[in-house]
Amino acid sequence: MTMNTATDPRAVVIRYVEAVRDGAADVIHDSFAADATWHYPGNLPISRVWHGRDRIIDDFLGSMGPVLVPGTLEIELVSTIAEGDRVVAEWTSKAETVYGGTYDNRCIGVYTVRDGKIASVVEYADTQHVAAALFPDA
């Protein structure tokens, strides 16, 4: 079965991660299904299941902006593994924080892609580091 790059699950996830890296807001928005979910496990202010594209983009992803020094975010896609509609992506995120520290994490996301859109994500990261670097007052 041949898929085109617009709907191939691995290509959809790679395009999304590269859009986050490049700050391409329109591509980020277009990457998600309207009813998508993003589960961020742990015990952080952002830990929950986020429901809907707008809440994922505006409230979850958008909540990182105010704690990162503008222009310092570096994202590198390390690898992807795809099987059917599921893609596991591994990436690194580095940035200076407004608290004077450095955020430097290695993350994995398990993405489910349907009809060329990200339908769900479960993200795993070092939440202890996230807490210390991004939520020092929480």
Side-chain angles (χ1 to χ4, degrees), residues 15-24 27-28 32 61 73 75:
R15 185 171 51 248
Y16 163 72
V17 174
E18 290 176 346
V20 173
R21 176 197 68 201
D22 298 340
V27 177
I28 294 168
F32 287 97
L61 298 175
L73 179 62
I75 293 176

Side-chain angles (χ1 to χ4, degrees), residues 18-137:
E18 290 176 346
V20 173
R21 176 197 68 201
D22 298 340
D26 56 337
V27 177
I28 294 168
H29 182 272
D30 291 343
S31 295
F32 287 97
D35 62 348
T37 61
W38 190 303
H39 182 194
Y40 196 89
N43 196 19
L44 297 167
I46 58 170
S47 296
R48 66 182 65 114
V49 178
W50 297 87
H51 294 275
R53 173 180 51 221
D54 294 338
R55 292 210 55 220
I56 291 168
I57 293 170
D58 298 339
D59 300 338
F60 172 60
L61 298 175
S63 70
M64 298 300 107
V67 298
L68 303 178
V69 174
T72 65
L73 179 62
E74 297 175 24
I75 293 176
E76 180 184 344
L77 183 62
V78 175
S79 67
T80 59
I81 300 169
E83 182 177 327
D85 64 356
R86 294 182 57 138
V87 179
V88 176
E90 179 183 12
W91 68 93
T92 59
S93 295
K94 297 178 184 175
E96 297 306 311
T97 74
V98 297
Y99 306 109
T102 300
Y103 175 72
D104 185 355
N105 214 341
R106 194 169 189 112
C107 310
I108 285 189
V110 180
Y111 295 78
T112 302
V113 178
R114 292 198 180 92
D115 300 321
K117 304 284 185 184
I118 297 168
S120 70
V121 182
V122 179
E123 181 179 344
Y124 300 94
D126 178 350
T127 56
Q128 186 174 9
H129 174 66
V130 173
L134 301 182
F135 301 102
D137 299 326

